[in-house]
Amino acid sequence: MTEQSRRALVISLDGLDARYLRRRDEYGLRIPTLRRLMAAGATSLDVVTVYPSVTYPVHTSIVTGALPAHHGIVGNELFIPLGAPECGEWHWFARDIRAETLWDAARARGLSTGIVSWPVAGGAGDYNVPEIKKLGGTPRESLALMIEHARPFGIIQEVASRDPQLYAQANADEHDDMRTRFAEYLITEKRPQLMLVHLFDLDHFQHDYGPFTPEAFALLEKLDGYVARLLAATERAGTLAETDVFIVSDHGFMPISRLIHPGVLLRRAGLLSVTEERDTLEGRARLCVTDWRALPSVTGGSCAIILRDALDREALEKARGAFDGLRNGAGGEFETGGAPFSFIDAEEARALGSHPEAAFVLEAADGYAFGAGYEGDAVTRSVQRGQHGYLPSRYFTSFIASGPGITRRGELGETRIIDIGPTIARSLGLTLSDADGRALRL
């Protein structure tokens, strides 16, 4: 990397498993923009993510260079035991992060920051269209929350007044055209020195249809067009010649067909109780935990088991024992000839920088993920066809760096996702004081 660039554009393509880019010719992918950036800069298709490898912890590791146990975001959702599973909220706000972020470092040096839909970033930056939604609510209710928490107040209405097509292509399945339009506006009209954009329709499609499917390929090709539009916006702003572009992603993807519900097994073991409550505002019934000694914290392909009292040895033994029958092959019609999950003890989880409060962690086997059920069967068929959250050793994610400050070319080999934030910081002449990773030499 040469003398610092003055600007950085960071685009996260959620769920861009490295196999998409590694096998781009085999899959016949029409992704000219990503191919051009790879050819012009430095690429790693062997990026080791963090654990659990779900969106919010990993994106926070990208912008801090820190492991989840260090920065404090160990799942997408807040762990609110008495409200589990449906009463909890997600980590929408940057105030939840316990480590210095790229936007913190930029602000300290007087650099402006634009943010569009970056996870755990609500309330941060100079210009921010936040990722926040009304769980179980309508799109209109989610938009109202976005407007309420946008920075500065009124920026969403400002973009809408200038772009009559802002919401034209937003639907139940796709929102990345809208996110791209927000980012195009901020890049051209506000010209932030650090721009962070999160596009996640690919993640959604892989959950619904599975990874490496025609639907996922088509969506990735559409994303390539969005990246091209963001580069074109940077050129229109007159800043492309001084902007380093970083394409990042958070995790790979695994195909699944079955869900294991730890809450069901812990309930059967007498370690938690639930009651059905009716939401007076929404008019629907939901299960909420009313008492517990052990609770699951589900993160896709992994699940941390949390004890109410960390010193409750009886609860620990009962919690581990609750899974013995299933682990020993009592999977009924879903039995595959092997254990559907494995145990990761607390010491190993801490060594991975994972959930510091976990008594132990469950890691799902191929074809399995974890569900949030508290009643019914312990193993069910999955409506979703793809999942993530697994150990970092089970897949790689992607990283591309290209621009005036990037002199290195070709493959970087295996890298760590916690090195990406320090690398971006270096391109801007910044450092991340709480990083566990280190800047790559590009």
Side-chain angles (χ1 to χ4, degrees):
M1 187 175 289
T2 62
E3 183 179 347
Q4 69 189 61
S5 300
R6 286 179 286 173
R7 299 177 184 273
L9 170 61
V10 184
I11 306 171
S12 170
L13 305 182
D14 199 307
L16 184 61
D17 189 300
R19 286 169 286 186
Y20 285 103
L21 298 182
R22 183 176 291 114
R23 301 177 184 174
R24 57 195 180 276
D25 294 329
E26 175 187 340
Y27 294 143
L29 290 172
R30 296 185 294 273
I31 48 172
T33 309
L34 293 176
R35 287 174 182 267
R36 178 168 57 82
L37 290 171
M38 292 173 69
T43 301
S44 176
L45 302 182
D46 299 285
V47 180
V48 180
T49 188
V50 295
Y51 195 53
S53 51
V54 289
T55 297
Y56 281 36
V58 186
H59 276 83
T60 308
S61 288
I62 290 173
V63 295
T64 62
L67 295 165
H70 188 175
H71 61 58
I73 308 301
V74 295
N76 292 344
E77 299 171 82
L78 298 167
F79 185 68
I80 307 176
L82 295 182
E86 295 184 29
C87 306
E89 281 288 338
W90 286 36
H91 285 286
W92 306 124
F93 299 104
R95 61 176 179 249
D96 294 343
I97 301 173
R98 300 199 302 257
E100 185 181 36
T101 64
L102 284 170
W103 52 77
D104 293 329
R107 182 181 66 244
R109 290 288 298 274
L111 303 182
S112 59
T113 302
I115 300 171
V116 173
S117 288
W118 197 272
V120 204
D126 299 280
Y127 308 99
N128 190 334
V129 179
E131 178 163 304
I132 186 170
K133 62 183 176 181
K134 172 67 173 176
L135 298 178
T138 65
R140 186 178 295 274
E141 290 174 314
S142 292
L143 178 60
L145 282 175
M146 290 170 59
I147 290 172
E148 178 184 352
H149 295 286
R151 288 172 62 95
F153 185 78
I155 188 65
I156 290 178
Q157 299 94 314
E158 179 182 331
V159 180
S161 70
R162 297 279 297 274
D163 183 357
Q165 297 299 307
L166 178 61
Y167 305 118
Q169 297 186 49
N171 55 56
D173 291 319
E174 297 185 50
H175 289 86
D176 280 347
D177 174 76
M178 177 189 72
R179 297 182 189 100
T180 301
R181 289 176 180 273
F182 276 123
E184 287 173 305
Y185 182 86
L186 294 184
I187 290 169
T188 56
E189 301 299 322
K190 309 302 181 183
R191 302 174 77 247
Q193 289 151 300
L194 169 64
M195 184 74 209
L196 299 162
V197 187
H198 176 220
L199 304 178
F200 60 84
D201 286 347
L202 179 62
D203 177 272
H204 173 67
F205 269 56
Q206 290 180 99
H207 281 301
D208 282 0
Y209 300 104
F212 314 109
T213 56
E215 293 85 357
F217 294 150
L219 201 285
L220 177 54
E221 292 177 348
K222 187 176 291 188
L223 283 181
D224 188 84
Y226 296 148
V227 173
R229 283 168 49 183
L230 294 174
L231 296 178
T234 307
E235 188 168 22
R236 290 197 302 276
T239 57
L240 185 60
E242 56 190 41
T243 298
D244 286 336
V245 179
F246 300 94
I247 306 297
V248 304
S249 190
D250 47 359
H251 51 71
F253 249 92
M254 304 278 280
I256 63 167
S257 59
R258 308 169 181 87
L259 292 179
I260 304 164
H261 300 278
V264 171
L265 295 168
L266 293 174
R267 185 182 181 188
R268 289 178 186 173
L271 292 167
L272 62 86
S273 57
V274 298
T275 186
E276 185 176 283
E277 297 182 358
R278 183 162 295 277
D279 189 302
T280 55
L281 294 177
E282 299 178 12
R284 61 189 179 94
R286 57 187 179 183
L287 288 178
C288 284
V289 173
T290 54
D291 192 23
W292 63 286
R293 292 173 69 188
L295 266 185
S297 178
V298 174
T299 46
S302 59
C303 175
I305 304 301
I306 313 298
L307 299 183
R308 188 166 194 165
D309 178 358
L311 300 179
D312 189 344
R313 303 303 300 176
E314 181 188 35
L316 175 60
E317 291 176 8
K318 290 181 71 173
R320 287 185 68 94
F323 298 95
D324 282 347
L326 193 61
R327 187 178 60 154
N328 293 333
E333 64 176 300
F334 302 106
E335 187 175 345
T336 60
F341 64 89
S342 58
F343 283 116
I344 296 174
D345 63 29
E347 184 177 345
E348 184 180 355
R350 285 193 293 270
L352 289 165
S354 185
H355 207 308
E357 297 180 355
F360 58 91
V361 176
L362 306 171
E363 172 75 8
D366 289 355
Y368 289 88
F370 293 102
Y374 281 78
E375 61 182 359
D377 294 334
V379 181
T380 62
R381 295 194 181 277
S382 176
V383 173
Q384 292 188 328
R385 311 313 296 169
Q387 191 53 276
H388 51 89
Y390 302 91
L391 281 166
S393 58
R394 296 178 68 178
Y395 40 42
F396 291 107
T397 187
S398 310
F399 173 64
I400 306 169
S402 183
I406 310 299
T407 59
R408 192 165 174 180
R409 300 290 183 269
E411 278 284 344
L412 296 172
E414 186 173 301
T415 60
R416 302 176 300 173
I417 209 159
I418 56 174
D419 296 332
I420 291 176
T423 302
I424 297 168
R426 175 182 280 179
S427 77
L428 293 167
L430 308 173
T431 58
L432 292 174
S433 60
D434 298 312
D436 296 308
R438 62 181 184 275
L440 302 170
R441 296 193 176 277
L442 302 181

